[in-house]
Amino acid sequence: MNESLILLLIETILIGMVPRAMPIFSAALGETVDQSAGILNLGVEGMMLMGAITGLLVDYYYHNIVFAFLAAGAVGILFGAIHGVLVITMKLDQTVIGTALWFVGWGLSGVIYAAIFGISSAPPTVQTLGHIYIPYLSSIPFFGRFIFGEDPLVYILIVTLIVVDYFLFHTKQGLNLRTVGQDPRVAEIMGVNPYLYRYAAVIFGGLMAGIGGAYLSLAIVGSFYFDLTAGMGFIAVALVYFGKWKPWRVFAGTLIFGAVYVFYFMMENIYPKIPYEFYQMLPYVVTLIMILIIGTKARAPASLALPYVKGE
Amino acid sequence: MNMEKSIKEPIVKMEGIVKTFPNVVANDGIDFEIYPKEIHALLGENGAGKTTLMNILYGLYKPDRGTIYIYGKKVNIRNPSDAQKLGIGMVHQHFSLIPYFNVLENISIGLKELKINLNTNKIKEKLDRIMQEYGLQVDPEKKIEEMSVGEMQRVEILKLLFRGANILILDEPTSALTPQEVEELFKSLKSLVNQDKSIVIITHKLYEVFEISDRITVLRKGKVTYKGFTKDTEQEALVEAMVGRNVVFEEFNRKETNYTGSLKVIGLTVYGKGKIPIVNKVSFELKRGEILGIAAVAGNGEKELIDALFGLIKANEGKIFLDDKQIDNKPTKTRTQLGLSYIPGERLTRGVAAGLSLSFNSILHDHWSDPYIKNSLLNENEIRKFARKIISSFYVNANSEETLAKQLSGGNIQKFIVGREILREPKYILAVNPTSGLDVGATQMVRQALIEMRNSGAGILLSSEDLDELVSLSDRIIVMYKGEIVGSFKRGEFDKLRIGSLMMGKKLN
């Protein structure tokens, strides 16, 4: 390979990785807040799928992409609230409930899809979310499109990232939320209502998972099919560990995942002799290795996945 | 000064407080007052209701009945933030600190004077001022997990002062402190009182009460049994109010014993990391009918020695014989069946299964044997009978044998464990700090029980942090230092100074 080909390869990865990272990043940002408050949400995958099908339906029938995302977010919030009632108020086991929510979202999204569009017919398609090309800046060679030519939701998510990071580490409420994740008893003694913060966290987690799912169906695929997310919700959970509960590190983790994803698409075309399943496996294997390297040093919030029972 | 105090109105007045938990009446109509500028000792046995009463004042529990007045005004304290607004602060036995956060972060949690932005400079300035004012120093940037217990306690007190607390409640503040730290704490408490604060200390240590308090309230079984100024109080009256009977500090009735059989340890060695011996070639013989004390500063191999004897860890070298039967290669089950009992130091993690009932906990060692098993099934009648026997013989404060172990207070769990290990009639008992955390009455009862076991032919290996306990109970004492036995004393030759210096690593000529 000559030099210009390698440069082209890198540019392609840069341009492609951001959109690929976004569904996972959105969900992972929500999961970061969830876990910082001590809630383990293993149902992200199901919430993403529900967001994906909801977004697609609204866009398909009403042709309004803003409404589509809002609807997906609303369904995410609904799932987050249900999650909250089960694990915060009813204090049920977070691992079991998370797994249950995954199955519900996974099955329900498939059933809704099959009921409306049938099984054999061609999948419904919508136009994918358009990109904003900032004049001049986006034509800067190499970095132009990567930085100045993304779709609007990418910029919204980056702003959300900055806000969430500031919230968690530079505001009193963020400190309160992290305290609830470390030791809800201490939070309560210090005059913080642990239940309130945990509910806020699960609702934000649901919202971001729903948006992440809709991003996949509306901005990347432009359609929906059964098990569209293919494990991305679990990757999101894993990348929270990789990111050590710090939003910017989580963001970096999702970009690496996105880059490997684009890389496998390209390599599939360059070396088609290797079975494509091998390439498909790559992003997941890389994530696994990332977790193995980092995971041993990661320290989860001390009360992660533990229900808070008042007065114990 | 006391005259002045007696005319003053109380700043806190709790009237007729009743609080019932599913299994116990913790507070049974308690009246309690705190006066300005005083250190008030709230005294009582384990489970007397001291902490419950203070948790009610701090808004953690809702009383079933009763009224609270602050500065003469009736108040309704629903949660700790209500209490904090009224100037009440409490330091619990388990600190309310996040180990992962530093001092400034811990102080800022839920702080009302912060709106949104975490302004650490502003907090630091105010903290510096408070540290100056009260002479309590900590490093504001230091993480809690890197601190000593004494430092953590200072952070807790600073946290309360930061929130404007005028009434500070400290729950057994000295239990985990070194003697120097206790001295420092007492100095700080006195200076706090001089600056118009009132302090309640919850304790069951008598000497602390006389050293530091101005006024005393004693609780027993949820009721007030004594109230008065410290200077007018006799020690005997206090003990009686606490335990409800005269505790006689007399020499135990020690019989001449002559039993055959012994627990023999030969050259026992346990390696730690990097083949460094934690227990180093330890040999001794524990005869039946004697109490052999192990004196050691914690961390000198005494714990590993006992663990290896009971089979919880494997000895790397050496032999153990129980009545001439070699047991070092046998599992713990066999050892217990041969008549070995174990009273662990970690009562909640090793002594009981916290989530099981007392009746199941009573047969942890014996659930495979008669009479607790019949036709391969648990014989519940026998099990309950045994549990009831433990509860009644050792005065365990529990509603029934079906109460869960975790619902008992620490002292009652300990009484239950000691009772279980003794009533299964072992030949040998390994006892680690059997009376730690127990009140005067329960301590005396456990010691008496150990002596009776000895008189009736059990060999007891007693490891205790309390040298007085070793001296008053043991027939012989061996001293361990860095895994080795460095000294041995017979009853009649006990010399606390010599034993103490051996424990500290001094060689005797």
Side-chain angles (χ1 to χ4, degrees):
Chain A
M1 273 192 278
N2 59 36
E3 221 168 273
S4 63
L5 189 63
I6 292 176
L7 278 180
L8 182 68
L9 193 85
I10 294 176
E11 192 183 357
T12 316
I13 291 179
L14 280 181
I15 293 168
M17 73 179 181
V18 177
R20 269 292 154 191
M22 282 306 122
I24 297 174
F25 172 63
S26 179
L29 191 60
E31 182 77 15
T32 306
V33 173
D34 252 329
Q35 293 199 9
S36 295
I39 303 284
L40 176 68
N41 179 10
L42 287 182
V44 202
E45 177 88 358
M47 295 182 186
M48 284 179 83
L49 283 164
M50 287 309 295
I53 185 74
T54 308
L56 184 94
L57 282 178
V58 172
D59 198 30
Y60 186 77
Y61 286 113
Y62 299 100
H63 308 289
N64 187 327
I65 200 148
V66 176
F67 277 163
F69 272 108
L70 289 178
V75 167
I77 287 174
L78 178 69
F79 264 68
I82 293 170
H83 184 218
V85 171
L86 294 171
V87 302
I88 302 168
T89 304
M90 297 173 71
K91 302 171 180 62
L92 300 175
D93 186 281
Q94 298 191 7
T95 313
V96 174
I97 293 303
T99 312
L101 284 177
W102 162 39
F103 272 121
V104 169
W106 183 66
L108 196 57
S109 61
V111 167
I112 292 172
Y113 172 78
I116 293 175
F117 299 107
I119 294 169
S120 55
S121 63
T125 53
V126 294
Q127 201 174 356
T128 55
L129 191 59
H131 283 224
I132 301 172
Y133 295 104
I134 297 170
Y136 308 112
L137 287 176
S138 61
S139 9
I140 295 173
F142 207 66
F143 288 111
R145 272 199 59 197
F146 163 52
I147 297 175
F148 301 106
E150 303 291 354
D151 62 63
L153 201 64
V154 171
Y155 298 115
I156 292 175
L157 284 172
I158 302 281
V159 171
T160 314
L161 161 67
I162 294 167
V163 171
V164 168
D165 185 76
Y166 187 83
F167 169 79
L168 281 179
F169 297 101
H170 299 281
T171 69
K172 180 182 96 170
Q173 287 74 12
L175 180 73
N176 290 353
L177 185 131
R178 287 186 294 132
T179 304
V180 170
Q182 292 284 347
D183 191 340
R185 186 187 68 92
V186 172
E188 171 121 52
I189 286 172
M190 302 294 279
V192 174
N193 183 345
Y195 297 114
L196 190 73
Y197 277 89
R198 286 196 158 176
Y199 264 104
V202 287
I203 281 172
F204 182 74
L207 168 71
M208 296 307 281
I211 299 280
Y215 189 94
L216 191 63
S217 64
L218 297 180
I220 296 180
V221 182
S223 180
F224 184 87
Y225 47 83
F226 186 63
D227 197 23
L228 176 72
T229 48
M232 285 184 192
F234 290 99
I235 295 291
V237 177
L239 287 173
V240 173
Y241 283 80
F242 169 80
K244 294 181 175 175
W245 299 269
K246 298 208 164 65
W248 283 97
R249 284 188 55 118
V250 173
F251 181 55
T254 58
L255 285 182
I256 296 173
F257 180 89
V260 180
Y261 209 95
V262 177
F263 177 74
Y264 106 63
F265 264 135
M266 292 187 316
M267 295 311 282
E268 219 179 350
N269 293 318
I270 298 172
Y271 298 110
K273 272 186 189 158
I274 301 175
Y276 81 97
E277 286 91 347
F278 175 79
Y279 292 117
Q280 231 174 8
M281 186 178 74
L282 277 181
Y284 299 91
V285 172
V286 169
T287 306
L288 191 67
I289 292 169
M290 280 159 59
I291 306 293
L292 283 178
I293 294 169
I294 290 295
T296 50
K297 288 178 210 136
R299 206 165 95 178
S303 292
L304 183 60
L306 299 178
Y308 176 57
V309 186
K310 223 177 154 148
E312 260 197 6
Chain B
M1 195 173 164
N2 280 321
M3 262 305 286
E4 187 192 339
K5 263 182 197 171
S6 56
I7 354 172
K8 270 185 191 164
E9 281 299 303
I11 45 178
V12 172
K13 194 167 164 163
M14 300 176 82
E15 233 175 45
I17 301 294
V18 176
K19 175 71 188 174
T20 320
F21 290 111
N23 289 299
V24 262
V25 183
N27 287 172
D28 192 0
I30 292 180
D31 296 333
F32 181 75
E33 301 86 23
I34 306 169
Y35 288 85
K37 290 190 78 166
E38 72 169 0
I39 297 182
H40 194 134
L42 183 55
L43 195 66
E45 292 190 301
N46 299 305
K50 301 163 289 187
T51 306
T52 305
L53 184 69
M54 289 300 102
N55 278 339
I56 288 171
L57 182 57
Y58 196 46
L60 282 171
Y61 295 145
K62 224 185 176 59
D64 302 338
R65 251 181 293 141
T67 337
I68 302 173
Y69 302 90
I70 310 279
Y71 296 109
K73 224 178 94 191
K74 191 173 162 181
V75 290
N76 179 18
I77 306 174
R78 292 160 304 173
N79 51 43
S81 2
D82 282 358
Q84 283 162 16
K85 270 179 228 147
L86 294 164
I88 301 167
M90 181 162 176
V91 178
H92 285 87
Q93 230 175 323
H94 306 286
F95 292 143
S96 306
L97 296 168
I98 306 291
Y100 187 63
F101 293 173
N102 67 23
V103 175
L104 290 174
E105 286 172 311
N106 266 291
I107 283 178
S108 308
I109 298 165
L111 198 62
K112 292 281 177 304
E113 58 201 77
L114 289 172
K115 287 267 146 40
I116 289 173
N117 199 353
L118 261 189
N119 189 342
T120 43
N121 284 336
K122 202 173 116 194
I123 296 165
K124 208 170 156 184
E125 259 170 45
K126 186 172 166 192
L127 179 64
D128 277 337
R129 223 168 42 235
I130 291 170
M131 291 198 295
Q132 287 285 317
E133 203 178 331
Y134 297 101
L136 290 158
Q137 292 297 326
V138 292
D139 174 3
E141 312 277 353
K142 199 167 171 184
K143 274 193 182 181
I144 305 300
E145 60 191 357
E146 291 157 6
M147 290 184 163
S148 70
V149 180
E151 275 178 293
M152 291 184 203
Q153 198 166 51
R154 282 203 292 279
V155 177
E156 282 279 43
I157 294 172
L158 284 168
K159 208 168 76 176
L160 300 181
L161 296 171
F162 198 101
R163 283 156 193 248
N166 283 318
I167 302 153
L168 291 101
I169 306 162
L170 310 177
D171 192 356
E172 307 214 358
T174 59
S175 56
L177 298 186
T178 64
Q180 288 96 318
E181 284 175 327
V182 171
E183 209 171 289
E184 254 176 70
L185 172 72
F186 282 1
K187 226 188 282 166
S188 318
L189 295 186
K190 279 172 189 157
S191 86
L192 283 169
V193 168
N194 284 334
Q195 307 208 39
D196 292 339
K197 307 285 179 195
S198 299
I199 294 168
V200 177
I201 90 169
I202 302 176
T203 181
H204 57 244
K205 293 180 184 164
L206 280 181
Y207 81 91
E208 286 182 6
V209 172
F210 288 103
E211 189 174 334
I212 189 138
S213 71
D214 301 307
R215 192 190 291 266
I216 302 170
T217 298
V218 182
L219 298 187
R220 173 169 156 72
K221 292 192 170 169
K223 289 194 164 113
V224 176
T225 51
Y226 183 89
K227 261 184 201 189
F229 288 110
T230 310
K231 63 172 182 63
D232 308 330
T233 302
E234 299 281 325
Q235 184 162 338
E236 289 72 34
L238 219 49
V239 173
E240 195 172 320
M242 268 173 83
V243 301
R245 59 187 178 269
N246 275 314
V247 178
V248 192
F249 294 99
E250 61 172 0
E251 184 83 348
F252 294 100
N253 175 20
R254 193 179 282 278
K255 273 192 209 141
E256 264 323 300
T257 57
N258 192 13
Y259 295 90
T260 50
S262 69
L263 183 71
K264 205 187 288 175
V265 180
I266 303 167
L268 197 78
T269 301
V270 177
Y271 289 117
K273 274 181 196 145
K275 266 229 153 190
I276 297 162
I278 304 174
V279 178
N280 198 358
K281 299 196 185 81
V282 166
S283 303
F284 61 82
E285 186 174 10
L286 166 68
K287 294 201 186 69
R288 295 188 60 181
E290 78 163 343
I291 296 179
L292 175 60
I294 301 178
V297 175
N300 277 286
E302 76 295 341
K303 181 178 180 297
E304 288 78 7
L305 170 66
I306 300 239
D307 285 356
L309 289 176
F310 198 54
L312 298 174
I313 58 174
K314 216 177 138 34
N316 299 82
E317 286 163 25
K319 294 191 170 81
I320 308 166
F321 295 92
L322 193 154
D323 293 344
D324 297 327
K325 198 170 281 173
Q326 190 171 351
I327 59 162
D328 49 79
N329 47 5
K330 297 280 193 297
T332 300
K333 180 179 172 184
T334 316
R335 300 184 198 199
T336 60
Q337 281 169 328
L338 288 170
L340 199 56
S341 251
Y342 172 52
I343 300 170
E346 304 89 338
R347 54 183 74 136
L348 261 180
T349 49
R350 284 187 170 184
V352 289
L356 291 185
S357 66
L358 292 180
S359 57
F360 284 133
N361 270 296
S362 73
I363 53 154
L364 287 186
H365 292 306
D366 300 306
H367 61 268
W368 45 65
S369 58
D370 263 351
Y372 308 118
I373 204 110
K374 208 165 85 188
N375 305 327
S376 304
L377 293 173
L378 290 173
N379 185 352
E380 296 223 16
N381 282 337
E382 286 298 325
I383 296 170
R384 282 159 173 257
K385 214 164 88 190
F386 183 54
R388 279 200 297 271
K389 190 173 158 197
I390 299 174
I391 291 169
S392 63
S393 329
F394 281 80
Y395 306 103
V396 179
N397 192 3
N399 261 21
S400 80
E401 69 277 12
E402 292 311 306
T403 306
L404 302 184
K406 66 179 173 193
Q407 291 171 322
L408 264 53
S409 72
N412 278 302
I413 290 178
Q414 182 69 358
K415 285 195 268 183
F416 181 81
I417 294 169
V418 172
R420 174 185 70 204
E421 299 302 320
I422 285 178
L423 291 176
R424 63 189 290 266
E425 296 171 0
K427 291 180 189 158
Y428 301 96
I429 301 174
L430 311 171
V432 182
N433 294 325
T435 60
S436 89
L438 294 184
D439 52 68
V440 188
T443 298
Q444 196 64 7
M445 183 181 72
V446 167
R447 289 179 182 166
Q448 187 63 45
L450 288 173
I451 288 286
E452 275 164 27
M453 281 306 284
R454 167 204 174 273
N455 288 346
S456 59
I460 299 171
L461 189 63
L462 176 66
S463 165
S464 177
E465 284 168 356
D466 183 348
L467 202 49
D468 287 326
E469 175 165 90
L470 287 175
V471 167
S472 71
L473 293 183
S474 306
D475 294 284
R476 283 187 297 142
I477 292 178
I478 52 176
V479 185
M480 276 185 84
Y481 178 70
K482 289 196 172 166
E484 292 179 47
I485 293 181
V486 292
S488 172
F489 298 83
K490 279 202 187 76
R491 190 165 190 86
E493 302 169 356
F494 293 163
D495 176 349
K496 285 207 298 190
L497 266 173
R498 289 183 66 201
I499 295 173
S501 32
L502 280 171
M503 285 164 64
M504 307 294 180
K506 290 212 178 97
K507 295 237 158 56
L508 290 189
N509 304 324

